[in-house]
PDB file of all heavy atoms in Angstrom:
ATOM      1  N   ARG A  49     -22.393 -22.025 -17.536  1.00  0.00           N
ATOM      2  CA  ARG A  49     -21.554 -22.943 -18.296  1.00  0.00           C
ATOM      3  C   ARG A  49     -22.329 -23.908 -19.160  1.00  0.00           C
ATOM      4  O   ARG A  49     -21.748 -24.849 -19.689  1.00  0.00           O
ATOM      5  CB  ARG A  49     -20.699 -23.761 -17.321  1.00  0.00           C
ATOM      6  CG  ARG A  49     -19.722 -22.917 -16.609  1.00  0.00           C
ATOM      7  CD  ARG A  49     -19.017 -23.682 -15.544  1.00  0.00           C
ATOM      8  NE  ARG A  49     -17.889 -22.899 -15.120  1.00  0.00           N
ATOM      9  CZ  ARG A  49     -16.659 -23.051 -15.588  1.00  0.00           C
ATOM     10  NH1 ARG A  49     -16.381 -23.982 -16.453  1.00  0.00           N
ATOM     11  NH2 ARG A  49     -15.698 -22.266 -15.159  1.00  0.00           N
ATOM     12  N   SER A  50     -23.626 -23.746 -19.269  1.00  0.00           N
ATOM     13  CA  SER A  50     -24.392 -24.768 -19.985  1.00  0.00           C
ATOM     14  C   SER A  50     -25.729 -24.204 -20.425  1.00  0.00           C
ATOM     15  O   SER A  50     -26.099 -23.090 -20.063  1.00  0.00           O
ATOM     16  CB  SER A  50     -24.667 -25.949 -19.053  1.00  0.00           C
ATOM     17  OG  SER A  50     -25.585 -25.555 -18.076  1.00  0.00           O
ATOM     18  N   ASP A  51     -26.495 -25.007 -21.173  1.00  0.00           N
ATOM     19  CA  ASP A  51     -27.861 -24.599 -21.475  1.00  0.00           C
ATOM     20  C   ASP A  51     -28.887 -25.575 -20.907  1.00  0.00           C
ATOM     21  O   ASP A  51     -30.070 -25.459 -21.161  1.00  0.00           O
ATOM     22  CB  ASP A  51     -28.063 -24.391 -22.978  1.00  0.00           C
ATOM     23  CG  ASP A  51     -27.072 -25.131 -23.800  1.00  0.00           C
ATOM     24  OD1 ASP A  51     -26.813 -26.315 -23.480  1.00  0.00           O
ATOM     25  OD2 ASP A  51     -26.518 -24.549 -24.738  1.00  0.00           O
ATOM     26  N   PHE A  52     -28.404 -26.543 -20.127  1.00  0.00           N
ATOM     27  CA  PHE A  52     -29.333 -27.500 -19.500  1.00  0.00           C
ATOM     28  C   PHE A  52     -28.746 -27.863 -18.146  1.00  0.00           C
ATOM     29  O   PHE A  52     -27.704 -28.500 -18.067  1.00  0.00           O
ATOM     30  CB  PHE A  52     -29.482 -28.731 -20.394  1.00  0.00           C
ATOM     31  CG  PHE A  52     -30.613 -29.645 -20.019  1.00  0.00           C
ATOM     32  CD1 PHE A  52     -31.873 -29.493 -20.612  1.00  0.00           C
ATOM     33  CD2 PHE A  52     -30.433 -30.667 -19.109  1.00  0.00           C
ATOM     34  CE1 PHE A  52     -32.917 -30.352 -20.274  1.00  0.00           C
ATOM     35  CE2 PHE A  52     -31.472 -31.519 -18.763  1.00  0.00           C
ATOM     36  CZ  PHE A  52     -32.718 -31.371 -19.361  1.00  0.00           C
ATOM     37  N   VAL A  53     -29.400 -27.411 -17.066  1.00  0.00           N
ATOM     38  CA  VAL A  53     -28.869 -27.644 -15.720  1.00  0.00           C
ATOM     39  C   VAL A  53     -29.668 -28.752 -15.035  1.00  0.00           C
ATOM     40  O   VAL A  53     -30.905 -28.712 -14.990  1.00  0.00           O
ATOM     41  CB  VAL A  53     -28.906 -26.354 -14.875  1.00  0.00           C
ATOM     42  CG1 VAL A  53     -28.482 -26.643 -13.425  1.00  0.00           C
ATOM     43  CG2 VAL A  53     -28.009 -25.288 -15.478  1.00  0.00           C
ATOM     44  N   VAL A  54     -28.946 -29.728 -14.538  1.00  0.00           N
ATOM     45  CA  VAL A  54     -29.561 -30.827 -13.771  1.00  0.00           C
ATOM     46  C   VAL A  54     -29.084 -30.704 -12.323  1.00  0.00           C
ATOM     47  O   VAL A  54     -27.881 -30.555 -12.063  1.00  0.00           O
ATOM     48  CB  VAL A  54     -29.121 -32.195 -14.329  1.00  0.00           C
ATOM     49  CG1 VAL A  54     -29.796 -33.321 -13.533  1.00  0.00           C
ATOM     50  CG2 VAL A  54     -29.462 -32.313 -15.818  1.00  0.00           C
ATOM     51  N   VAL A  55     -30.031 -30.746 -11.389  1.00  0.00           N
ATOM     52  CA  VAL A  55     -29.700 -30.753  -9.956  1.00  0.00           C
ATOM     53  C   VAL A  55     -30.208 -32.070  -9.383  1.00  0.00           C
ATOM     54  O   VAL A  55     -31.378 -32.416  -9.593  1.00  0.00           O
ATOM     55  CB  VAL A  55     -30.353 -29.572  -9.207  1.00  0.00           C
ATOM     56  CG1 VAL A  55     -30.074 -29.648  -7.705  1.00  0.00           C
ATOM     57  CG2 VAL A  55     -29.854 -28.244  -9.778  1.00  0.00           C
ATOM     58  N   SER A  56     -29.343 -32.803  -8.689  1.00  0.00           N
ATOM     59  CA  SER A  56     -29.837 -33.998  -7.994  1.00  0.00           C
ATOM     60  C   SER A  56     -30.046 -33.673  -6.528  1.00  0.00           C
ATOM     61  O   SER A  56     -29.312 -32.880  -5.939  1.00  0.00           O
ATOM     62  CB  SER A  56     -28.878 -35.183  -8.163  1.00  0.00           C
ATOM     63  OG  SER A  56     -27.643 -34.902  -7.558  1.00  0.00           O
ATOM     64  N   ILE A  57     -31.075 -34.275  -5.974  1.00  0.00           N
ATOM     65  CA  ILE A  57     -31.376 -34.150  -4.542  1.00  0.00           C
ATOM     66  C   ILE A  57     -31.478 -35.563  -4.010  1.00  0.00           C
ATOM     67  O   ILE A  57     -32.433 -36.294  -4.323  1.00  0.00           O
ATOM     68  CB  ILE A  57     -32.707 -33.382  -4.331  1.00  0.00           C
ATOM     69  CG1 ILE A  57     -32.562 -31.957  -4.873  1.00  0.00           C
ATOM     70  CG2 ILE A  57     -33.096 -33.392  -2.856  1.00  0.00           C
ATOM     71  CD1 ILE A  57     -33.830 -31.142  -4.808  1.00  0.00           C
ATOM     72  N   PHE A  58     -30.469 -35.949  -3.263  1.00  0.00           N
ATOM     73  CA  PHE A  58     -30.437 -37.328  -2.777  1.00  0.00           C
ATOM     74  C   PHE A  58     -29.608 -37.388  -1.514  1.00  0.00           C
ATOM     75  O   PHE A  58     -28.416 -37.080  -1.535  1.00  0.00           O
ATOM     76  CB  PHE A  58     -29.826 -38.253  -3.855  1.00  0.00           C
ATOM     77  CG  PHE A  58     -29.790 -39.694  -3.450  1.00  0.00           C
ATOM     78  CD1 PHE A  58     -30.961 -40.387  -3.150  1.00  0.00           C
ATOM     79  CD2 PHE A  58     -28.573 -40.384  -3.376  1.00  0.00           C
ATOM     80  CE1 PHE A  58     -30.925 -41.722  -2.774  1.00  0.00           C
ATOM     81  CE2 PHE A  58     -28.536 -41.720  -2.998  1.00  0.00           C
ATOM     82  CZ  PHE A  58     -29.723 -42.387  -2.694  1.00  0.00           C
ATOM     83  N   VAL A  59     -30.241 -37.737  -0.411  1.00  0.00           N
ATOM     84  CA  VAL A  59     -29.512 -37.917   0.841  1.00  0.00           C
ATOM     85  C   VAL A  59     -28.947 -39.334   0.797  1.00  0.00           C
ATOM     86  O   VAL A  59     -29.667 -40.311   1.002  1.00  0.00           O
ATOM     87  CB  VAL A  59     -30.448 -37.687   2.068  1.00  0.00           C
ATOM     88  CG1 VAL A  59     -29.645 -37.812   3.355  1.00  0.00           C
ATOM     89  CG2 VAL A  59     -31.097 -36.312   1.978  1.00  0.00           C
ATOM     90  N   ASN A  60     -27.677 -39.405   0.463  1.00  0.00           N
ATOM     91  CA  ASN A  60     -27.038 -40.679   0.120  1.00  0.00           C
ATOM     92  C   ASN A  60     -26.665 -41.465   1.376  1.00  0.00           C
ATOM     93  O   ASN A  60     -25.716 -41.090   2.073  1.00  0.00           O
ATOM     94  CB  ASN A  60     -25.786 -40.369  -0.709  1.00  0.00           C
ATOM     95  CG  ASN A  60     -24.980 -41.608  -0.992  1.00  0.00           C
ATOM     96  OD1 ASN A  60     -25.538 -42.682  -1.184  1.00  0.00           O
ATOM     97  ND2 ASN A  60     -23.664 -41.455  -1.031  1.00  0.00           N
ATOM     98  N   PRO A  61     -27.361 -42.570   1.657  1.00  0.00           N
ATOM     99  CA  PRO A  61     -27.115 -43.255   2.928  1.00  0.00           C
ATOM    100  C   PRO A  61     -25.704 -43.818   3.057  1.00  0.00           C
ATOM    101  O   PRO A  61     -25.187 -43.920   4.165  1.00  0.00           O
ATOM    102  CB  PRO A  61     -28.152 -44.397   2.938  1.00  0.00           C
ATOM    103  CG  PRO A  61     -28.612 -44.538   1.535  1.00  0.00           C
ATOM    104  CD  PRO A  61     -28.415 -43.217   0.854  1.00  0.00           C
TER     105      PRO A  61
END
Side-chain angles (χ1 to χ4, degrees):
R49 293 172 167 264
S50 71
D51 22 44
F52 193 92
V53 174
V54 181
V55 176
S56 64
I57 297 176
F58 182 60
V59 183
N60 174 35

